[in-house]
Amino acid sequence: MSLTTLQSVKKDFGIKEILRDASFSLDATDKVGLIGTNGSGKSTLLKMIAGLETIDSGQILVNSGAKIIYLPQQPDLDENRTVLEQVFADSGEQWTLVREYEELSDQLAYTPEDKQLMTRFSSLMQRMEATGAWELETNAKIILSKLGITDYNAIIGTLSGGYRKRIALATALLAEPDLLLMDEPTNHLDALSVEWLQSYLNRYRGALLLITHDRYFLDRVTNRIIEIDRGDIYTYAGNYSYYLEKKALAEESAISSQRKHQGLLRRELEWLKRGPKARSTKQKARIDRAHALQQTEFKQIQGKVDIATAGRRIGKKVIELNHISKGYNGRTLIKDFTYEFSPEDRIGIIGGNGAGKSTLMDMITGRIQPDSGSVEIGSTIHIGYFDQHSEELLTALNENQRVIDYIKEEGEFVNIADGTKISASQMLERFLFPGNQQYAPINKLSGGEKRRLFLLRILMSAPNVLILDEPTNDLDVQTLAVLEEYLEDFSGCVIVVSHDRYFLDRTVDTIFALEELGNIRQYPGNYSVYLDYKKVEEEKLQEIANTKEKPKNVETLRATSLPKETENKKRRGLSNWEKREFEQLEGKIAQLEAEKAEAEKALVNISPGSYTQVQKLYEQVEALKQAIDVATERWMELAEVES
């Protein structure tokens, strides 16, 4: 079933043509990754499908019964709501029942003998069962907790942009639309949350159209790729790996066709120069063909960012961190950390949101001072700092400044890797900023284009220590691939803060993991190797837990096997609501298992040819499987708190 269809859609912003003649459909089973260079129109396309952006011509047809939800990069939330109020904003009666239940639970805790309250309570539970409010509440708390949100009563206005994005994501997932449009859903998520979201979307029964820079995520979630290339739409029926394979073949074929065309044209032109006379129909047809060949145009292979800036000499002393510590509001982010960076270091820094990654970078660069300890930087060191808030810094300078003037502030000319010198305008072209964009104000650029512009200026300064704080946010996958190749040959120290698993695997050989209480643990290898270490560590700790024997010196065990383990958070008990939920879940899981067994039995015994009935039963079994997974996961969470 088609949920939405684009027919000959055109969109032009004046300085750039976004869509020339776009036509495609999205079906109920599609999980589509939308890719293209920054500024190609990916976000604009999502907004057009969501009805938030007009089209110049053509039409977008939407199935009248389809529920479509759009998750933008910067969601607009009600700052006066609590987290749960926001998540249940569109749940109507169900949210009203949940709030009433919590109020009655609190009252009964103080007056358990009140018969009138008990009668209301009993009636309320029946209504919650009938409307599915129990399951809605359970699902909401599972999703929020997996996204790192545990304070359900926090006011939206007090939360950071990253937390707001995660709350908006939870709201969208809980709504279970027929088509979910997602613009960079993995931004502001740590690696564990990205893994969970990836698994969740693999089981998601609705259709997806998403933009993401995370290539592992793109590869494992999508079954179709749509690429926007200079106004044209190209569709590939497979995941990201399939797209790369077919794209390479298509480009090779295009190059081969162009070479054949050029060879044929050269031969025809030589024939024309010999002065053939159009005496026969055959000769006249050949002359016409030669003229037609001259007029044939080939679309050039899609432009790619060309990073070829020159470097500078780096000495033996790079950056030394001597027992540095830093904390805010009584919370320690970095505790007594010492490390001496070398010229060949490729360090990846990971940790949850708010763990102190950017704080560590700011201390290294001197933006902030440590509470104790010192930071020493070598005399030959020139740091290039690609800040995750670079867009804000860039626009804060002068949003009406022209693109080329911003780059010329770094230099009218720049030396590149092969020793030659090129102009600022030529360098902009290598970074996919054509002439008409170079003289446009910065505020006309997309978020990703602004990030790419800021990256260009940093690289033009020829740093020998490159610090990249969340470089994958808003940079397109094509630019990231070229940046990864650049870093392979970069003759200096590289420090990367990122949650992007693919980027870390490609660029680093040591992991610094920021954990609780300000501890920083070091792991050799890239991110995948780090995951292997963590898996071994968890298995050893589980083995200890199973034997119920604590070693005499736990710290010794940790030091000899793997780096220091974080301390457990202070345990809490179950709330009244959670106790009630925990008591009911076991029976609910048993009931769901019984229903699934009945449905599977019916599916086996169904008569041949009953296609509609088979499809209905199959969907019922799949829905029950997902419901069992959700309920079991929540039961395990509550059981852990209860124990």
Side-chain angles (χ1 to χ4, degrees):
M1 177 183 72
S2 178
L3 298 175
T4 184
T5 300
L6 277 71
Q7 295 181 348
S8 302
V9 172
K10 296 183 180 180
K11 183 69 177 180
D12 195 323
F13 283 129
I15 63 171
K16 182 181 291 185
E17 186 178 38
I18 300 298
L19 293 177
R20 184 174 295 112
D21 187 20
S23 297
F24 66 87
S25 294
L26 294 174
D27 295 332
T29 58
D30 278 338
K31 287 184 169 58
V32 182
L34 183 61
I35 65 174
T37 58
N38 290 134
S40 61
K42 301 186 296 294
S43 295
T44 300
L45 178 55
L46 257 60
K47 291 176 184 176
M48 289 192 292
I49 295 174
L52 302 175
E53 180 74 49
T54 60
I55 61 176
D56 295 338
S57 64
Q59 57 182 339
I60 298 179
L61 306 175
V62 179
N63 188 309
S64 59
K67 181 180 180 181
I68 299 177
I69 287 183
Y70 167 58
L71 179 69
Q73 289 194 46
Q74 303 296 331
D76 184 18
L77 306 180
D78 187 337
E79 295 197 349
N80 297 315
R81 286 175 174 164
T82 66
V83 171
L84 277 184
E85 285 172 344
Q86 178 62 47
V87 169
F88 290 125
D90 299 322
S91 300
E93 182 186 5
Q94 292 172 314
W95 172 232
T96 302
L97 293 174
V98 169
R99 284 192 300 180
E100 187 178 349
Y101 175 87
E102 291 179 336
E103 291 171 2
L104 283 177
S105 294
D106 291 339
Q107 293 176 37
L108 283 170
Y110 292 102
T111 56
E113 304 300 326
D114 190 322
K115 292 183 179 180
Q116 188 176 3
L117 280 179
M118 284 299 298
T119 301
R120 285 177 56 194
F121 191 73
S122 177
S123 174
L124 178 62
M125 287 193 295
Q126 292 176 9
R127 289 165 59 197
M128 291 182 71
E129 191 72 37
T131 59
W134 288 113
E135 187 172 347
L136 185 72
E137 174 79 356
T138 300
N139 291 348
K141 290 187 175 180
I142 288 174
I143 291 172
L144 287 168
S145 65
K146 291 299 183 182
L147 295 177
I149 300 167
T150 55
D151 186 355
Y152 307 135
N153 295 314
I155 304 299
I156 300 294
T158 65
L159 302 176
S160 68
Y163 272 95
R164 295 185 191 197
K165 177 68 179 286
R166 282 179 272 164
I167 292 166
L169 174 58
T171 304
L173 295 176
L174 194 65
E176 296 186 338
D178 299 297
L179 173 59
L180 183 53
L181 309 172
M182 311 173 82
D183 196 344
E184 296 289 359
T186 61
N187 279 6
H188 306 295
L189 296 184
D190 58 32
L192 291 177
S193 295
V194 172
E195 287 277 1
W196 173 83
L197 180 60
Q198 177 181 292
S199 176
Y200 185 92
L201 293 180
N202 279 330
R203 303 192 308 267
Y204 185 70
R205 298 180 64 201
L208 302 172
L209 177 60
L210 61 91
I211 302 168
T212 182
H213 58 265
D214 190 320
R215 284 153 288 177
Y216 281 154
F217 189 87
L218 195 61
D219 199 45
R220 294 166 187 173
V221 171
T222 62
N223 57 23
R224 186 177 166 204
I225 297 292
I226 293 178
E227 180 183 26
I228 304 179
D229 179 6
R230 290 160 292 177
D232 292 328
I233 291 285
Y234 299 91
T235 298
Y236 300 83
N239 62 5
Y240 183 66
S241 296
Y242 179 87
Y243 154 77
L244 290 177
E245 179 183 343
K246 295 302 179 183
K247 180 71 173 178
L249 291 174
E251 290 188 351
E252 288 175 8
S253 177
I255 292 171
S256 176
S257 296
Q258 192 166 357
R259 285 174 179 166
K260 289 178 181 177
H261 173 269
Q262 290 171 343
L264 181 57
L265 177 59
R266 184 170 55 252
R267 290 192 296 272
E268 292 300 298
L269 288 174
E270 290 173 354
W271 179 76
L272 282 175
K273 287 178 183 178
R274 292 199 297 269
K277 297 179 180 179
R279 295 176 180 172
S280 67
T281 302
K282 185 175 180 181
Q283 285 180 315
K284 188 175 186 307
R286 188 169 181 182
I287 293 172
D288 291 341
R289 185 177 67 174
H291 289 311
L293 285 170
Q294 286 178 292
Q295 295 172 5
T296 300
E297 294 183 0
F298 282 84
K299 188 170 186 176
Q300 297 299 312
I301 300 301
Q302 181 174 356
K304 294 180 180 179
V305 176
D306 183 3
I307 300 178
T309 56
R312 68 176 75 197
R313 187 184 70 83
I314 185 170
K316 292 183 178 180
K317 182 176 180 178
V318 183
I319 300 171
E320 295 179 2
L321 308 180
N322 302 304
H323 301 286
I324 61 170
S325 296
K326 188 69 180 179
Y328 292 101
N329 301 321
R331 180 183 171 220
T332 301
L333 293 177
I334 310 294
K335 184 179 73 176
D336 193 25
F337 182 59
T338 297
Y339 186 79
E340 183 177 332
F341 291 93
S342 74
E344 299 82 20
D345 265 344
R346 296 290 189 272
I347 307 293
I349 299 178
I350 63 173
N353 293 296
K357 302 184 295 295
S358 294
T359 298
L360 178 59
M361 296 303 97
D362 286 342
M363 284 193 289
I364 290 174
T365 56
R367 291 187 179 186
I368 61 174
Q369 296 300 313
D371 295 337
S372 61
S374 63
V375 178
E376 298 179 16
I377 299 177
S379 59
T380 62
I381 297 304
H382 180 81
I383 296 176
Y385 188 12
F386 187 65
D387 187 354
Q388 65 169 308
H389 304 296
S390 56
E391 182 183 327
E392 296 172 18
L393 294 171
L394 191 152
T395 54
L397 296 175
N398 182 359
E399 64 178 11
N400 294 315
Q401 185 179 28
R402 296 187 307 180
V403 169
I404 193 164
D405 293 334
Y406 175 75
I407 289 299
K408 282 183 176 180
E409 288 179 351
E410 188 62 45
E412 293 276 351
F413 294 89
V414 60
N415 293 318
I416 59 175
D418 63 6
T420 59
K421 183 179 289 189
I422 64 174
S423 68
S425 178
Q426 290 173 310
M427 199 68 200
L428 279 167
E429 288 180 355
R430 289 182 174 220
F431 260 62
L432 303 187
F433 292 102
N436 58 344
Q437 269 195 310
Q438 293 179 20
Y439 291 89
I442 290 171
N443 60 23
K444 294 293 184 183
L445 302 180
S446 70
E449 286 172 319
K450 290 175 183 177
R451 296 269 288 174
R452 189 181 343 124
L453 182 66
F454 193 76
L455 175 63
L456 169 59
R457 179 158 171 170
I458 289 170
L459 297 181
M460 282 179 63
S461 69
N464 49 25
V465 173
L466 196 54
I467 299 178
L468 306 173
D469 191 356
E470 297 292 1
T472 60
N473 286 358
D474 296 325
L475 287 180
D476 56 72
V477 293
Q478 293 91 337
T479 301
L480 288 175
V482 177
L483 178 58
E484 288 158 0
E485 292 178 7
Y486 170 81
L487 293 178
E488 286 182 4
D489 299 324
F490 180 73
S491 57
C493 175
V494 177
I495 306 170
V496 177
V497 177
S498 182
H499 62 267
D500 189 313
R501 302 158 294 174
Y502 190 101
F503 190 80
L504 288 172
D505 278 351
R506 282 288 310 272
T507 58
V508 307
D509 53 27
T510 302
I511 293 290
F512 287 178
L514 274 65
E515 300 182 342
E516 292 183 349
L517 305 177
N519 295 316
I520 300 179
R521 303 168 64 191
Q522 300 177 32
Y523 294 82
N526 60 18
Y527 185 76
S528 291
V529 175
Y530 158 78
L531 290 180
D532 291 338
Y533 275 108
K534 293 297 289 184
K535 183 178 179 181
V536 173
E537 177 181 305
E538 289 169 5
E539 288 173 352
K540 290 196 174 187
L541 292 176
Q542 186 61 48
E543 188 178 323
I544 293 170
N546 290 340
T547 58
K548 296 184 179 180
E549 294 179 3
K550 288 190 176 181
K552 294 180 180 179
N553 190 336
V554 177
E555 294 301 324
T556 301
L557 171 66
R558 290 170 175 164
T560 55
S561 59
L562 292 166
K564 186 178 178 182
E565 173 66 0
T566 58
E567 296 189 15
N568 291 328
K569 295 182 179 178
K570 185 178 180 181
R571 302 186 67 84
R572 64 174 181 87
L574 293 177
S575 65
N576 289 336
W577 166 267
E578 289 171 327
K579 286 179 181 177
R580 173 69 181 176
E581 183 184 3
F582 184 55
E583 291 169 0
Q584 292 196 343
L585 275 173
E586 189 168 344
K588 180 180 178 180
I589 293 170
Q591 181 184 345
L592 290 170
E593 290 282 6
E595 291 177 10
K596 183 170 79 74
E598 286 295 323
E600 289 174 338
K601 182 179 179 181
L603 188 60
V604 171
N605 296 327
I606 199 167
S607 59
S610 303
Y611 174 78
T612 304
Q613 188 65 15
V614 168
Q615 183 67 21
K616 184 178 179 181
L617 284 169
Y618 175 77
E619 291 177 355
Q620 182 182 350
V621 170
E622 290 301 308
L624 287 167
K625 284 180 180 178
Q626 185 168 351
I628 290 168
D629 288 344
V630 168
T632 303
E633 194 167 5
R634 179 60 176 167
W635 184 90
M636 292 174 67
E637 286 185 358
L638 294 174
E640 185 176 349
V641 176
E642 176 72 7
S643 62

